[in-house]
Amino acid sequence: MAIWFRNLTTDWLSLRKPELRQIPFVFVAPERNRMIITAANPVAESQGVYSGMAAADAKAITTNLQILNYIPGKEARLLRQLGLWCIRYTPVVAVNLPDGLILDISGCAHLWGGERGYLKNIVNKLRASGYDTRAAIADTIGAAWAVARFGKITPIIESGRQAQTLMNLPPAALRLEAPVLEKLQKLGFSTIRSFMQIPRSVLRRRFGEAFLLRLAQALDQENEEIIPLVPPVPYVERLPCLEPIKTARGIEIAIQRLLEGLCLRLKAEGKGIRKAVLKCYRVDGKMVHTGISTNRGSHSISHIFKLLELQVSKIEPGLGIELFLLEATKVDDIDVLQEKLWAGNPGLQDSALAELLDRLAGKVGANRIHRYLPVEHYWPERSVKEAASLSEIPVTAWRTDRLRPIRLLPKPEQVEVMALLPDYPPKVFTYKGRRHAVEKADGPERIEREWWLEKGEHRDYYVVEDSDGNRYWLFRSGHYDAAPQWYLHGFFA
């Protein structure tokens, strides 16, 4: 099942500000030095304003047009909220950006009296909540998506009849890219019927593999998968008791144990409690509860415990409490702060640092921990050395006028390189069997060999960044006119 929210963001704003329902308004975003409309409400559309139009042109059409700034990512957040609401109809719901949802309704429709009742129930409730909604049910996602947006007959497609249904729809119903749609329009293909019977080899040559994939997915010739939404797990901790708890001390111990589990999870997820509720289920069947709130998110056990401790006197245990339940009903993101290693006493002489290194060495091994010092050499392999101890002082300062990798290989490793011209930076290089496409490059930085120590070729170093955003330190050994060799010498952060 595909659901289409025709005016997703403008409907959302109209719900928050009902005074805008009778006023034409649009969302705009900058694009190539112009403000382009990304969404228009129905009132604006009725006056000739549409998405993709320049805001200046729209103002010329509608004098009282309200122009609002586009909110990045708003569609995704709205669709996620709507998708989580739809989970009551089926456990498999996926967001279909920028304006739809996909529901796998297999085995669910009979609970609403069949597919028609199922569709009617969802659409009516979404429309009643303020969203202009259309939906369709078909065997494939592509066919349901097409009918929800372009269909003018029944929204429920009989099993196996998606081909007949798609024939009369425009090519845009196949979820094609804009350049492909323009090409189809230039060639006179106004409906899917006009090219459906053309051989695949011809279509592939003309419009590419993605075009054939979309067509095959809509016709159920190719499988299409969705990524379902995962409902958030509530921040709740339960503590059942073998014996009923009657004393204040017992309640405090229970709170402490609940907080240990809850705050550990919140800390791992970078969250903090803003509001929490403690529910106590008594053996007589009654439930008493209390709550706390904080001014800012916190996952500090001691801090939250002190707040809950003040509420213990308000809890009446009666004949005893057999179950405690602590729920964080509101949480906030918390910025993780870097802990200070040398608080008040910076420097390598801090005994806490030595103790920390000793503990780390005991866990991961002493040979995994190294400290390096700069050495007065130009040649990269000789420009650093390993310190013998924490007390060893560098005899020279670290070189900061040139960019150096955070990890330098003790011995450069040869790589295969392809460059546009011999003296150009590499365009592609292969390291350990993996091919890296270079997106950016900086250099060269020529480093001459230290002739008073050894003879050999100079090196031309480049800092390159591949398509995955990883940065490497590559060099060409010797001049480029004599089939030089390329090497990888380091990795940047």
Side-chain angles (χ1 to χ4, degrees):
M1 178 177 184
I3 301 177
W4 178 38
F5 298 93
R6 186 170 172 275
N7 301 292
L8 180 65
T9 52
T10 56
D11 284 348
W12 162 77
L13 190 59
S14 296
L15 288 170
R16 295 191 64 187
K17 298 181 178 179
E19 65 274 14
L20 289 175
R21 288 179 180 171
Q22 305 303 322
I23 301 174
F25 72 90
V26 296
F27 286 104
V28 299
E31 181 180 328
R32 297 180 181 178
N33 299 323
R34 295 192 307 166
M35 298 304 289
I36 301 298
I37 295 174
T38 59
N41 75 332
V43 180
E45 288 181 337
S46 65
Q47 299 179 15
V49 178
Y50 55 87
S51 299
M53 175 186 281
D57 297 339
K59 286 285 286 184
I61 297 174
T62 308
T63 55
N64 61 337
L65 183 67
Q66 298 289 319
I67 296 179
L68 307 169
N69 289 329
Y70 169 72
I71 306 172
K74 190 62 187 177
E75 294 94 339
R77 293 193 290 272
L78 283 174
L79 290 173
R80 177 175 172 78
Q81 293 173 4
L82 292 165
L84 292 175
W85 178 85
C86 287
I87 286 179
R88 67 192 63 191
Y89 290 93
T90 171
V92 183
V93 180
V95 170
N96 181 222
L97 289 172
D99 54 9
L101 294 172
I102 302 296
L103 280 63
D104 184 350
I105 66 170
S106 304
C108 302
H110 71 281
L111 298 174
W112 280 264
E115 292 178 342
R116 187 167 298 279
Y118 185 92
L119 184 144
K120 188 177 178 181
N121 192 294
I122 292 180
V123 171
N124 286 345
K125 286 192 175 180
L126 287 172
R127 286 178 178 172
S129 64
Y131 287 97
D132 185 5
T133 308
R134 292 188 60 181
I137 296 175
D139 284 353
T140 64
I141 294 173
W145 190 95
V147 174
R149 288 161 175 76
F150 297 92
K152 296 180 180 178
I153 49 174
T154 175
I156 300 175
I157 312 305
E158 294 182 17
S159 181
R161 292 189 61 82
Q162 50 268 19
Q164 292 80 357
T165 303
L166 291 172
M167 280 184 176
N168 297 321
L169 300 182
L174 291 177
R175 300 175 289 172
L176 302 174
E177 300 291 335
V180 177
L181 292 175
E182 292 178 8
K183 193 179 292 185
L184 287 165
Q185 186 180 11
K186 289 179 181 177
L187 294 173
F189 294 123
S190 58
T191 61
I192 297 175
R193 180 200 301 273
S194 57
F195 56 78
M196 185 178 285
Q197 302 302 325
I198 296 177
R200 289 176 59 88
S201 58
V202 177
L203 294 175
R204 180 184 293 107
R205 189 167 58 251
R206 280 278 188 179
F207 307 111
E209 192 66 37
F211 171 84
L212 288 179
L213 178 63
R214 285 302 192 193
L215 181 61
Q217 287 174 340
L219 297 176
D220 203 14
Q221 296 168 354
E222 287 280 351
N223 189 30
E224 184 174 1
E225 296 181 353
I226 59 176
I227 301 176
L229 287 172
V230 178
V233 179
Y235 295 100
V236 179
E237 282 290 323
R238 299 174 75 255
L239 181 63
C241 307
L242 293 177
E243 295 291 336
I245 303 298
K246 301 179 182 178
T247 63
R249 178 58 183 159
I251 297 173
E252 291 173 0
I253 293 174
I255 293 173
Q256 187 76 26
R257 291 190 179 181
L258 290 168
L259 285 174
E260 289 173 358
L262 184 62
C263 291
L264 184 64
R265 180 189 166 197
L266 289 167
K267 184 178 181 180
E269 298 181 11
K271 306 284 186 182
I273 294 176
R274 286 296 310 279
K275 291 183 179 179
V277 176
L278 176 67
K279 297 179 180 178
C280 307
Y281 293 88
R282 305 193 318 199
V283 293
D284 58 2
K286 295 183 178 179
M287 186 270 287
V288 293
H289 69 277
T290 185
I292 56 112
S293 61
T294 61
N295 290 311
R296 58 183 298 183
S298 172
H299 51 235
S300 169
I301 296 177
S302 59
H303 177 60
I304 304 299
F305 176 76
K306 288 178 182 176
L307 298 178
L308 287 170
E309 190 180 24
L310 299 174
Q311 308 296 321
V312 171
S313 59
K314 302 176 183 177
I315 299 174
E316 298 178 359
L319 297 176
I321 300 171
E322 58 182 357
L323 173 65
F324 291 92
L325 191 147
L326 179 62
E327 180 179 9
T329 54
K330 183 180 180 181
V331 297
D332 275 355
D333 293 333
I334 292 182
D335 295 330
V336 180
L337 299 177
Q338 180 71 42
E339 296 182 3
K340 294 181 180 178
L341 189 59
W342 300 298
N345 186 22
L348 297 174
Q349 304 305 319
D350 192 341
S351 60
L353 173 64
E355 293 173 359
L356 172 64
L357 293 176
D358 292 341
R359 290 196 298 272
L360 292 174
K363 291 184 177 180
V364 301
N367 57 343
R368 300 288 187 89
I369 302 174
H370 304 275
R371 176 175 174 245
Y372 294 96
L373 298 175
V375 182
E376 288 187 333
H377 279 285
Y378 293 106
W379 208 239
E381 293 95 316
R382 302 192 191 101
S383 62
V384 294
K385 72 170 186 177
E386 186 171 354
S389 67
L390 276 178
S391 58
E392 185 173 356
I393 301 173
V395 295
T396 184
W398 284 103
R399 186 172 184 178
T400 57
D401 59 331
R402 297 285 186 178
L403 192 61
R404 290 293 181 265
I406 194 169
R407 182 190 169 199
L408 184 73
L409 294 176
K411 183 179 179 181
E413 297 185 18
Q414 189 169 352
V415 293
E416 297 178 5
V417 167
M418 183 179 73
L420 295 179
L421 291 175
D423 59 339
Y424 271 38
K427 194 66 178 174
V428 175
F429 71 92
T430 304
Y431 174 60
K432 291 186 176 179
R434 184 181 174 188
R435 187 172 181 273
H436 300 264
V438 175
E439 297 288 337
K440 301 175 183 176
D442 188 20
E445 175 194 351
R446 175 161 296 184
I447 299 180
E448 295 287 352
R449 193 173 289 270
E450 295 169 329
W451 54 267
W452 58 93
L453 296 176
E454 62 179 354
K455 296 182 180 179
E457 299 283 354
H458 63 263
R459 295 173 179 175
D460 287 335
Y461 278 89
Y462 291 88
V463 180
V464 303
E465 180 177 316
D466 67 5
S467 55
D468 295 330
N470 301 316
R471 296 192 300 160
Y472 304 89
W473 207 34
L474 303 179
F475 73 82
R476 181 184 58 235
S477 179
H479 292 286
Y480 53 82
D481 55 354
Q485 297 294 325
W486 284 84
Y487 297 87
L488 187 148
H489 203 178
F491 304 88
F492 292 90

